[in-house]
Amino acid sequence: MSKTPSNKLFKLIKSLSGAERRYFKVIANKKGDASSKYLVLFYAILDQAEFDEESLKHQVYDGENVQSRKFSELKGYLFNVVLKALQSYDEKSSISNKIANLMHNVDALFKRGHMQLCKDELRKAKNLSLLYEEFTTLYEILKWEKFIAHAMIDVDFLQEELNRIADEESLYLEQLNLLSKYRNIFLELYIKIKSKTGLDEISHIVESDLMLKENFNSHRTRVLYYRAKAFIAYIQKDTDGFQNYSMILLEVMESQPHFLKEEVSEYISALHNYCVSCTNNKDYEKLYEANEKIKTIDPLNVDDKIKIYRQYTQNFFVYCIRTGDFARAQSILPAHFTKIASFKTNIFDHHQFYFHYSYIYFGCEDYDTSLYHLNSWLDLPTTIDNPNLQMLARVFNLILHYELGNNMLLASLIKSTYRFLKKEKQMQEIEMAFITFIKAVIKTQGKRARKACFLKFKQKLRMLTGTNHASISAFDLMAWVDSKLLNVSFAEVVKNNLDRNK
């Protein structure tokens, strides 16, 4: 059986940012390798939309018959050259790489007996490590201080500084230990949220001494502490606590701007979570303000760039949907579709937007286009979205077909939706009431009779939810019912409800 060609080089080169590609080309040109086969391969990969091993061979060797082993060696060589270029690029932009480079300098100078130069490099490394709380490196620096003093037979230094070094070693080990504990707490909560399992089993975290109060003086640990506090509030469905701790987390992160430049991805996530907390609390003005911050972040790499666009756009769509400004969201969709077409599908989760697209067109009363995007969502494997979203998609499907007047098709869809909800054990009272209502309303003749049907369903919704505004997951079902009772657009009802609640 022939071995499938490896596409890891293709993936690596395709993931390079524009700046990284330019840097690689500058290095290659400095070496005078412009016509070398590995550069021909580099440019050939850049030009490919999809990985095609045979096409690459043809371009590199100009149609010659070449052994696969030889081409594999060329790919391996280019892979290593690209990695070395990335390391060199990071040394100029990443603090961790700058510190690591300084420590490599110390090692090289020490081996050659340049002790004073060692001390100079060590001083630079320590200043940066203190600023960025690189406790592991700080501990290693103390080891080097003792090595150098011993090598120089500097007894005076050891007599004066040994106690200070021992105290600092204990401090850095303590900070590392504390940082590790909070990171483990954060990751345990993260796993529970993502897997949606064991969400009721967090009392051991909530009641631990580590989470009851701040007992640290490290910025990195403080960030993890408030991340964990926000996650706990989210799991406990404490919407005020989730928003409050998410806001404090942002304040902590923004209080040390130099860390933000190194931890862009974490900052994007913190801002996005704060946006989610504002949405949950219907604090749409703060949602909008926080989301605008996301748009201004400078990405460090391609992943950051895509994450910024994805999170900003999701939050913008949510803002427009919740405020009834569907036309505004629809106006950016053409540019949005062009933008995401430029992203590779394996790094951009397109399916996360299908419900937004469908909801936006629904709010603009373009039901055919709304149904098109909803069908794209329904065609996804059920494993991609959680059961609540799958249930919402099917209920929303019934509403769209009602708006399109597809009453004959609705009878069949109602049966299949009922079977799906029963099978997935998602049949709650609201869903049952909705299916009963939709079965009744499509059989009802006359505007007055249908209006009475909608009014009866509205009363049922109020009884089930205890509020004037019920929703099945993310869809404002009550607003849709009111739009039919008042004979106005769905968007108008959403806007009026928002104005009344201000």
Side-chain angles (χ1 to χ4, degrees):
M1 182 180 291
S2 60
K3 187 177 179 181
T4 302
S6 171
N7 64 350
K8 68 176 185 178
L9 174 63
F10 180 87
K11 289 181 176 180
L12 176 63
I13 291 175
K14 285 294 189 179
S15 72
L16 299 178
S17 67
E20 289 166 345
R21 292 178 186 181
R22 287 191 294 273
Y23 186 79
F24 176 83
K25 292 172 187 177
V26 168
I27 289 178
N29 288 333
K30 283 182 178 179
K31 292 181 177 180
D33 291 341
S35 62
S36 65
K37 282 184 170 51
Y38 81 84
L39 267 183
V40 174
L41 176 58
F42 178 83
Y43 286 111
I45 289 175
L46 283 183
D47 289 340
Q48 278 194 345
E50 300 291 337
F51 176 64
D52 185 338
E53 175 104 335
E54 291 304 315
S55 175
L56 292 175
K57 280 184 186 180
H58 182 81
Q59 291 181 67
V60 172
Y61 296 104
D62 197 21
E64 295 178 27
N65 188 16
V66 177
Q67 290 182 346
S68 295
R69 182 177 60 80
K70 186 175 181 181
F71 186 60
S72 295
E73 289 173 354
L74 179 65
K75 287 199 301 179
Y77 177 77
L78 177 56
F79 188 86
N80 290 328
V81 171
V82 172
L83 279 183
K84 287 179 181 177
L86 288 175
Q87 291 168 11
S88 177
Y89 179 86
D90 286 344
E91 284 178 8
K92 300 177 182 299
S93 58
S94 166
I95 289 298
S96 60
N97 277 279
K98 287 180 180 178
I99 294 173
N101 196 43
L102 286 168
M103 296 306 293
H104 289 317
N105 292 345
V106 171
D107 186 46
L109 291 167
F110 182 83
K111 288 175 180 176
R112 290 158 179 80
H114 301 297
M115 299 306 169
Q116 189 54 51
L117 293 177
C118 273
K119 288 183 179 181
D120 294 341
E121 295 297 284
L122 214 55
R123 191 177 303 110
K124 295 175 190 176
K126 188 168 188 176
N127 289 338
L128 279 176
S129 297
L130 285 169
L131 183 62
Y132 287 92
E133 296 184 351
E134 296 288 345
F135 299 120
T136 301
T137 305
L138 286 166
Y139 188 82
E140 185 182 355
I141 287 170
L142 295 174
K143 178 193 74 175
W144 275 107
E145 287 186 22
K146 290 185 285 188
F147 277 178
I148 293 169
H150 179 260
M152 295 178 68
I153 319 177
D154 192 346
V155 178
D156 290 340
F157 173 86
L158 291 171
Q159 285 180 333
E160 294 174 7
E161 301 295 334
L162 200 55
N163 288 336
R164 185 266 304 170
I165 290 173
D167 290 341
E168 286 188 23
E169 283 177 333
S170 297
L171 173 64
Y172 300 146
L173 286 174
E174 180 185 350
Q175 294 286 9
L176 279 170
N177 183 48
L178 204 55
L179 192 60
S180 176
K181 288 180 179 179
Y182 278 106
R183 185 174 289 112
N184 288 340
I185 286 175
F186 166 75
L187 290 174
E188 184 177 348
L189 292 169
Y190 179 80
I191 291 168
K192 288 182 180 297
I193 289 173
K194 290 299 180 182
S195 63
K196 298 180 176 62
T197 57
L199 295 179
D200 56 343
E201 301 171 0
I202 62 169
S203 58
H204 65 289
I205 296 176
V206 176
E207 297 166 8
S208 68
D209 291 339
L210 290 170
M211 295 309 303
L212 290 177
K213 62 178 180 178
E214 285 195 36
N215 58 353
F216 42 79
N217 55 12
S218 157
H219 173 76
R220 290 186 186 275
T221 307
R222 185 170 287 108
V223 166
L224 286 170
Y225 172 80
Y226 281 108
R227 273 183 150 189
K229 294 289 279 189
F231 273 7
I232 288 169
Y234 176 81
I235 290 171
Q236 295 177 332
K237 295 181 171 56
D238 176 5
T239 57
D240 289 334
F242 181 39
Q243 185 174 3
N244 182 54
Y245 285 122
S246 296
M247 181 182 65
I248 294 173
L249 172 61
L250 286 175
E251 290 172 351
V252 170
M253 295 180 81
E254 291 168 354
S255 70
Q256 303 288 340
H258 59 286
F259 278 100
L260 290 184
K261 294 177 182 178
E262 294 293 303
E263 299 170 352
V264 171
S265 182
E266 287 80 359
Y267 184 48
I268 299 167
S269 295
L271 272 169
H272 176 66
N273 287 339
Y274 179 65
C275 288
V276 172
S277 75
C278 292
T279 301
N280 292 346
N281 259 350
K282 301 181 180 179
D283 197 341
Y284 300 125
E285 288 184 10
K286 288 183 179 176
L287 160 64
Y288 186 84
E289 291 172 4
N291 199 40
E292 288 300 297
K293 274 189 179 182
I294 294 178
K295 190 168 64 172
T296 65
I297 297 173
D298 290 326
L300 285 179
N301 50 49
V302 173
D303 284 344
D304 287 343
K305 183 178 180 181
I306 292 174
K307 189 175 182 180
I308 288 168
Y309 182 78
R310 182 177 61 241
Q311 307 295 49
Y312 171 80
T313 308
Q314 281 183 338
N315 292 326
F316 179 77
F317 286 159
V318 169
Y319 172 80
C320 292
I321 287 168
R322 294 298 184 93
T323 59
D325 202 350
F326 298 100
R328 185 179 181 185
Q330 186 187 28
S331 70
I332 75 159
L333 283 175
H336 168 71
F337 292 137
T338 300
K339 180 77 172 178
I340 62 174
S342 68
F343 293 133
K344 291 176 283 297
T345 55
N346 63 324
I347 55 176
F348 190 84
D349 298 324
H350 195 176
H351 73 271
Q352 295 180 354
F353 286 92
Y354 284 141
F355 175 62
H356 292 138
Y357 303 154
S358 188
Y359 205 154
I360 289 164
Y361 282 110
F362 178 88
C364 294
E365 300 184 348
D366 183 350
Y367 302 122
D368 286 315
T369 308
S370 178
L371 183 60
Y372 168 79
H373 290 292
L374 181 63
N375 283 334
S376 296
W377 191 21
L378 288 168
D379 287 341
L380 293 172
T382 56
T383 53
I384 289 182
D385 280 318
N386 67 48
N388 287 335
L389 291 178
Q390 286 288 323
M391 173 271 294
L392 168 62
R394 281 156 177 77
V395 170
F396 192 44
N397 189 40
L398 298 180
I399 292 172
L400 269 174
H401 282 286
Y402 176 83
E403 291 288 4
L404 288 165
N406 299 332
N407 287 1
M408 291 186 66
L409 179 59
L410 262 173
S412 173
L413 288 174
I414 289 169
K415 290 180 181 178
S416 63
T417 300
Y418 179 83
R419 286 195 299 269
F420 174 84
L421 295 178
K422 289 288 285 185
K423 178 182 177 183
E424 298 297 323
K425 298 180 180 179
Q426 291 296 308
M427 185 70 77
Q428 305 298 325
E429 283 191 275
I430 288 181
E431 288 76 57
M432 190 67 243
F434 173 78
I435 288 180
T436 301
F437 153 74
I438 203 75
K439 284 170 68 177
V441 78
I442 63 174
K443 296 176 182 177
T444 303
Q445 300 295 318
K447 290 183 179 179
R448 185 173 295 180
R450 280 197 298 272
K451 188 172 182 179
C453 202
F454 272 95
L455 183 59
K456 182 180 178 181
F457 180 53
K458 178 176 180 177
Q459 292 167 345
K460 182 69 172 179
L461 281 179
R462 280 182 172 174
M463 182 184 70
L464 291 174
T465 62
T467 176
N468 288 335
H469 302 290
S471 64
I472 293 181
S473 187
F475 180 70
D476 195 339
L477 185 57
M478 186 68 84
W480 178 68
V481 172
D482 282 340
S483 72
K484 298 305 173 187
L485 290 171
L486 299 171
N487 197 28
V488 298
S489 72
F490 176 73
E492 186 177 341
V493 174
V494 174
K495 288 177 182 177
N496 289 340
N497 288 344
L498 181 67
D499 290 338
R500 272 200 303 272
N501 292 326
K502 282 184 177 177

